[in-house]
Amino acid sequence: MKYYIIAGEASGDLHGANLMKSIIKKDPKAEFRFWGGDKMQQVGGKIVKHYRDLAFMGFWEVVTNLKTILNNIHFCKKDITDYQPDVLIFIDYPGFNMRIAKWAKQQKIQTDYYISPQIWAWKENRIKAIKRDIDNMYVILPFEKDFYEKKHQFPVHFVGHPLLDAITQYEKVDEIIFKQENGLDSRPVIALLPGSRKQEISKMLSIMTSITESYNKYQFIIAGAPSQELSIYKQFLDKENVRFVSGKTYELLSISTVAIVTSGTATLETALFNVPEVVCYKGNWLSYQIAKRIINLKYISLVNLIMDKPVVTELIQNEFNKANLKIELNKILDKNNRERMLKDYSELRKKLGGSGASDRTAELIINSVNYK
């Protein structure tokens, strides 16, 4: 069968790649055409657009790049028409994907959505478009099934969280060898995860690295996004105890003592590696002012949202500053606070439904196409 997949971010590339591997196990003759990244390319098929050219973050950034976004939508529709897939698979990235879904439904192309748009956080009125335009929805967070089925009477499949697959497959690195190969010394590691988008990396790292001189017993390692060039990070590498490792976030987390993490999927990844963390976010002022008025959430990190309590500290916008960051970092370096957080992490894993999300989703997608 022919599969057309659209993933617009680094996390979508990871989950898309694992889904493709699972599809191949059940459909060895599968053909893929996709919008994604390096991980999906490694599985096979034809990449149409790389996610690094698609990720526009925040309201103001979207407005200033509107022409590019509209051109991408037009190009995507033509590309799908030329390819004639058996099924169109969307992975998160709702601003773009929901527009394509509306058009695809009109063309009578099967529309499957893997990793739901976070309409429980904002734009809940998107449920109307989802009911109209999406044939099958596969959700990965435990509370999403009730949200869709009980609140909105829209049947969905809870498949578990694919990060459990990715981390289960991951082999823990040898700490000594990893440090030697990446030019690190023997001190304990504090990982800095500033995100994957150009707009956020510099803003986040300027504050993350402002505290490094106070922690000479540790080395701070920046987790570089594989989609970004070294030049973006260079200005932060002139400090004695700051180093840089690109494209090895999981390896880095596996040897880290604690982490400072930009809000997003990385907050959950960090927790699943049992690394105590401080979650941070600082965005464009206008985008933030708009967002805080329309987003209806108690928390911004996936860890706290899933657990429905403040397991990890969140420093947002003006609260994300040097003084507060030092206070919160000191807390998670304390043994008692670490143990409490790790206990909560154990409960978090149970809530996520176990491994196998990619295989379950692949089987459901293939069965739904064959059933038509």
Side-chain angles (χ1 to χ4, degrees):
M1 289 192 294
K2 296 167 71 175
Y3 304 83
Y4 198 105
I5 306 173
I6 306 176
E9 297 179 304
S11 59
D13 179 38
L14 169 65
H15 303 321
N18 284 330
L19 178 62
M20 289 163 69
K21 291 174 188 175
S22 292
I23 288 173
I24 290 170
K25 286 191 291 187
K26 301 173 188 301
D27 180 10
K29 294 183 179 180
E31 297 177 25
F32 298 106
R33 190 170 178 87
F34 55 87
W35 297 46
D38 298 344
K39 289 181 171 61
M40 294 172 76
Q41 275 189 288
Q42 289 166 10
V43 178
K46 174 66 176 177
I47 187 168
V48 180
K49 291 270 188 180
H50 199 289
Y51 69 78
R52 66 172 163 254
D53 301 319
L54 305 173
F56 301 108
M57 179 185 172
F59 301 95
W60 178 248
E61 292 80 3
V62 169
V63 170
T64 55
N65 289 281
L66 189 57
K67 183 177 180 181
T68 299
I69 294 168
L70 293 174
N71 286 341
N72 283 338
I73 290 171
H74 176 75
F75 172 77
C76 184
K77 291 177 182 178
K78 183 180 184 304
D79 197 56
I80 294 169
T81 300
D82 292 343
Y83 186 60
Q84 288 295 299
D86 292 293
V87 59
L88 181 55
I89 302 170
F90 305 106
I91 301 180
D92 201 2
Y93 197 49
F96 186 90
N97 276 336
M98 287 306 300
R99 286 174 172 82
I100 300 299
K102 180 180 180 180
W103 167 85
K105 188 69 172 179
Q106 294 168 352
Q107 311 307 309
K108 302 189 185 309
I109 299 170
Q110 180 171 322
T111 55
D112 284 21
Y113 218 122
Y114 179 42
I115 306 178
S116 164
Q118 295 178 349
I119 66 170
W120 35 267
W122 72 304
K123 290 193 174 181
E124 190 168 344
N125 60 351
R126 273 183 172 158
I127 187 63
K128 297 176 184 177
I130 287 173
K131 285 184 171 182
R132 182 190 66 216
D133 301 329
I134 302 302
D135 292 315
N136 301 293
M137 175 71 79
Y138 310 102
V139 301
I140 64 171
L141 298 173
F143 58 80
E144 289 179 319
K145 187 171 178 65
D146 281 350
F147 172 83
Y148 275 108
E149 295 188 344
K150 291 184 178 179
K151 187 172 184 180
H152 293 292
Q153 295 74 54
F154 181 67
V156 300
H157 303 276
F158 173 59
V159 294
H161 205 292
L163 276 181
L164 292 170
D165 288 344
I167 289 169
T168 299
Q169 295 168 10
Y170 172 81
E171 294 184 7
K172 181 174 170 60
V173 300
D174 183 289
E175 181 173 350
I176 295 174
I177 294 175
F178 180 81
K179 286 180 175 179
Q180 289 174 344
E181 289 179 345
N182 291 281
L184 312 182
D185 57 48
S186 61
R187 289 176 296 172
V189 167
I190 296 176
L192 304 180
L193 279 61
S196 61
R197 302 179 181 95
K198 286 182 182 179
Q199 298 114 305
E200 65 188 357
I201 290 171
S202 295
K203 190 169 291 187
M204 300 304 296
L205 280 177
S206 63
I207 301 175
M208 287 180 174
T209 60
S210 69
I211 65 170
T212 57
E213 72 280 357
S214 301
Y215 298 88
N216 290 323
K217 292 181 180 180
Y218 298 88
Q219 54 187 325
F220 290 77
I221 314 301
I222 298 171
S227 60
Q228 301 297 350
E229 297 177 356
L230 176 61
S231 58
I232 297 172
Y233 303 94
K234 270 193 171 179
Q235 61 179 304
F236 304 104
L237 302 179
D238 58 356
K239 299 187 178 184
E240 187 176 343
N241 59 338
V242 178
R243 300 288 183 272
F244 174 79
V245 174
S246 181
K248 299 178 182 178
T249 300
Y250 282 7
E251 292 90 336
L252 178 61
L253 285 174
S254 76
I255 66 160
S256 294
T257 301
V258 297
I260 304 171
V261 186
T262 297
S263 177
T265 303
T267 64
L268 184 55
E269 291 172 317
T270 302
L272 293 177
F273 273 97
N274 280 329
V275 180
E277 63 184 306
V278 180
V279 174
C280 311
Y281 179 77
K282 192 178 185 74
N284 171 278
W285 181 86
L286 178 60
S287 295
Y288 174 72
Q289 293 301 319
I290 296 171
K292 75 176 185 178
R293 286 165 173 78
I294 63 175
I295 294 177
N296 183 31
L297 289 176
K298 288 191 289 184
Y299 310 108
I300 64 167
S301 71
L302 282 171
V303 176
N304 292 347
L305 283 168
I306 295 166
M307 294 295 288
D308 196 26
K309 66 178 184 179
V311 174
V312 298
T313 296
E314 300 175 350
L315 299 178
I316 306 171
Q317 210 65 5
N318 292 335
E319 292 178 353
F320 179 37
N321 56 54
K322 181 177 180 178
N324 286 342
L325 186 55
K326 287 176 68 174
I327 291 169
E328 297 305 327
L329 183 58
N330 289 338
K331 287 180 182 177
I332 61 173
L333 288 170
D334 174 76
K335 181 181 178 181
N336 291 331
N337 288 328
R338 288 174 59 83
E339 288 178 353
R340 279 195 295 270
M341 193 173 289
L342 294 178
K343 185 178 179 181
D344 284 328
Y345 283 176
S346 178
E347 185 62 29
L348 172 71
R349 280 180 169 272
K350 295 176 185 176
K351 284 179 175 282
L352 289 175
S355 61
S358 302
D359 286 343
R360 284 190 287 273
T361 306
E363 184 171 4
L364 287 165
I365 290 172
I366 292 169
N367 289 344
S368 70
V369 176
N370 288 333
Y371 184 74
K372 285 196 301 185

